[in-house]
């Protein structure tokens, strides 16, 4: 499937971008948290600009994936971004991949396969019908406000986790808006796309999510951010797919293997995020460029 191929390409680009952005965020003073000056510091770092370049590549691939497949299929595939990036980093830098990393890769891969096979998302429309966006945007806004407010009252990894989940929600919203906008391109051509409010809302949501992610990465460790970002994006995207696009996933007793799959992915993400290849640590010595 074209959608699966481009979803994998998106995951590879996003995973590499997250590692580069994390390295850049470590050099930003804590006093710049939740301020526009944070972006000013990051813009002066080539490693961060390289990460943004990969974000742009990922956005193009994601648009193609969402235009050709259900959001409940495309977005969960993105959980492979961290394991794929770490394996690629180890290969490029000619460093042996530690055994825990392989365990994390296995957990994420098995969890994704189990979750997708048991959920079996199908169906759905290409665009959002009627005024369904209104309650969705209101609910998203309230959820984001609660997360950000809670994050501002905490510190370090707790703040990083909450902001990571807020960023995940922003990225999931961006994907849903992007899919709806791309449907206008197919049905009404370039004019329909350029006159659709969803296109400009996609850009706004994407910038907001990026800002939240930078603050999450600056606030705490990748171990705190990555599981919330990865699982939050996948699960919230499935929610958008079901509620906005009418996609269907299995319920009933199928929820049990789905929950097991989610647990495996979470464990795998924690294991992988602790790796020096992900955190930018010095042991082993290689750097992700």
């Amino acid at each position: 499937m074209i959608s699966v191929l481009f979803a994998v390409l998106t995951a590879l680009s996003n995973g590499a971008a997250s590692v580069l952005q994390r390295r850049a965020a470590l050099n930003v003073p804590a006093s710049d948290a939740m301020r526009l000056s944070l972006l000013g510091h990051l813009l002066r770092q080539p490693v961060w600009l390289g990460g943004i370049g990969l974000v742009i590549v990922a956005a193009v691939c994601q648009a193609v994936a969402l235009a050709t497949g259900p959001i409940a299929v495309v977005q969960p595939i993105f959980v492979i971004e961290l394991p794929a990036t770490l394996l690629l980093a180890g290969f490029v830098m000619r460093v042996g991949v530690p055994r825990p990393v392989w365990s994390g890769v296995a957990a994420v891969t098995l969890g994704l396969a189990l979750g997708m096979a048991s959920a079996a998302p199908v169906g759905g429309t290409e665009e959002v019908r009627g005024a369904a966006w209104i309650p969705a945007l209101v609910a998203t806004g309230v959820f984001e406000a609660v997360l950000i407010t809670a994050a501002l009252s905490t510190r370090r990894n707790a703040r990083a986790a909450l902001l990571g989940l807020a960023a995940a929600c922003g990225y999931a919203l961006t994907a849903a808006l992007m899919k709806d906008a791309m449907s206008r391109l197919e049905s009404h051509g370039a004019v329909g796309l350029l006159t659709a409010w969803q296109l400009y809302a996609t850009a706004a949501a994407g910038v907001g999510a990026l800002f939240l992610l930078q603050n999450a990465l600056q606030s705490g460790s990748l171990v705190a951010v990555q599981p919330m970002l990865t699982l939050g994006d996948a699960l919230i995207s499935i929610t958008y797919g079901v509620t906005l696009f009418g996609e269907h996933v299995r319920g009933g007793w199928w929820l049990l293997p789905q929950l097991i799959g989610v647990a495996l992915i979470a464990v795998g993400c924690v294991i992988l995020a602790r790796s020096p290849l992900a955190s930018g640590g010095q042991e082993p010595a290689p750097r992700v460029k």
Side-chain angles (χ1 to χ4, degrees):
M1 290 178 63
I2 294 178
S3 60
V4 173
L5 172 61
F6 277 90
V8 171
L9 293 175
T10 303
L12 290 172
S13 299
N14 270 333
S18 293
V19 175
L20 293 178
Q21 290 166 2
R22 167 61 181 165
R23 289 188 60 200
L26 291 174
N27 298 322
V28 177
S31 59
D32 286 333
M34 299 303 293
R35 296 182 180 180
L36 290 178
S37 58
L38 172 70
L39 293 179
H41 281 283
L42 294 173
L43 283 170
R44 294 193 291 270
Q45 300 189 49
V47 67
W48 187 80
L49 294 176
I52 292 301
L54 288 171
V55 168
I56 295 173
V57 172
V60 175
C61 292
Q62 184 180 15
V64 176
L66 290 170
T68 55
I71 189 173
V73 171
V74 171
Q75 291 296 111
I77 292 176
F78 296 161
V79 302
I80 69 170
E81 67 183 43
L82 184 58
T85 300
L86 295 186
L87 293 179
L88 179 62
F91 174 76
V92 171
M93 298 303 163
R94 299 179 180 179
V95 173
V97 177
R99 183 174 298 177
V101 171
W102 285 111
S103 299
V105 170
V108 171
T109 304
L110 179 59
L112 176 62
L114 180 60
M116 293 298 291
S118 56
V122 294
T125 60
E126 292 299 318
E127 62 183 60
V128 178
R129 305 293 185 181
W133 269 118
I134 296 176
L137 291 175
V138 171
T140 299
V142 171
F143 184 58
E144 290 275 35
V146 170
L147 289 174
I148 294 172
T149 300
L152 292 177
S153 64
T154 58
R155 299 178 60 189
R156 298 181 181 176
N157 281 349
R159 173 179 288 191
L162 288 168
L163 290 177
L165 182 56
C169 184
Y171 282 123
L173 176 62
T174 300
L177 289 165
M178 182 184 296
K179 181 174 179 61
D180 202 18
M182 293 302 293
S183 71
R184 268 63 181 179
L185 176 63
E186 295 179 3
S187 59
H188 303 293
V191 174
L193 174 64
L194 293 175
T195 56
W197 67 268
Q198 291 90 338
L199 175 64
Y200 305 99
T202 297
V207 171
L210 178 63
F211 178 70
L212 289 170
L213 178 58
Q214 304 313 309
N215 281 277
L217 294 171
Q218 187 265 347
S219 299
S221 68
L222 191 64
V223 175
V225 176
Q226 193 67 42
M228 302 297 281
L229 180 66
T230 300
L231 288 174
D233 190 353
L235 296 176
I236 295 171
S237 292
I238 291 175
T239 302
Y240 283 136
V242 171
T243 59
L244 291 175
F245 296 93
E247 298 169 4
H248 303 281
V249 295
R250 286 170 172 167
W253 73 270
W254 288 103
L255 290 175
L256 178 58
Q258 291 171 34
L259 291 175
I260 294 174
V262 169
L264 284 171
I265 292 171
V267 170
C269 284
V270 171
I271 293 173
L272 293 171
R274 290 181 182 277
S275 167
L277 288 173
S279 63
Q282 298 302 315
E283 295 180 3
R287 299 178 181 178
V288 179
K289 297 182 180 180

